[in-house]
Amino acid sequence: MDLFVLDVGKGENILFVHGTPTNSSEYTQVIGQLASQYRCVAPDHLGFGKSPKPVDGDYSLKAHQNRLKSCIDDLDISEFHLV
């Protein structure tokens, strides 16, 4: 399942991971400030923000973790600062 991911800027990676019940838009202002010096990556978890919201989706913590790991792998991010 593809997640919505805001991926802007260049440089060292900063990964913004939201909690519940929020989404990546909570980081909009800080990303705007940092994107000139850093690559800012902010995915929306399944069911949140601009990501799909399937009725039969797996919203367990483990499933969120697995999708986030897949997202990081797909974006070829090996090192990052976590926010």
Side-chain angles (χ1 to χ4, degrees), residues 10-14 37-40 79-81:
K10 296 203 183 300
E12 291 182 45
N13 299 308
I14 302 177
Q37 298 175 7
Y38 299 93
R39 179 184 181 195
C40 299
E79 295 183 357
F80 55 89
H81 301 279

Side-chain angles (χ1 to χ4, degrees), residues 4-5 7 13 16-18 21 27-28 30-31 34 37 42 46 49 51-52 62-63:
F4 169 81
V5 180
D7 186 354
N13 299 308
F16 296 85
V17 180
H18 69 82
Y27 300 114
T28 301
V30 70
I31 288 172
L34 295 173
Q37 298 175 7
L46 187 70
S51 283
K62 187 65 174 171

Side-chain angles (χ1 to χ4, degrees), residues 6-7 10-11 13 15-16 18 23-24 28 36-37 40-41 44 53 58 66 68-69 72 74-75 77:
L6 176 64
D7 186 354
K10 296 203 183 300
N13 299 308
L15 179 65
F16 296 85
H18 69 82
N23 60 63
S24 64
T28 301
S36 64
Q37 298 175 7
C40 299
V41 178
D44 280 334
K53 298 161 184 60
D58 184 352
N66 290 338
L68 181 60
K69 170 95 171 70
I72 292 167
D74 290 348
L75 293 170
I77 299 173

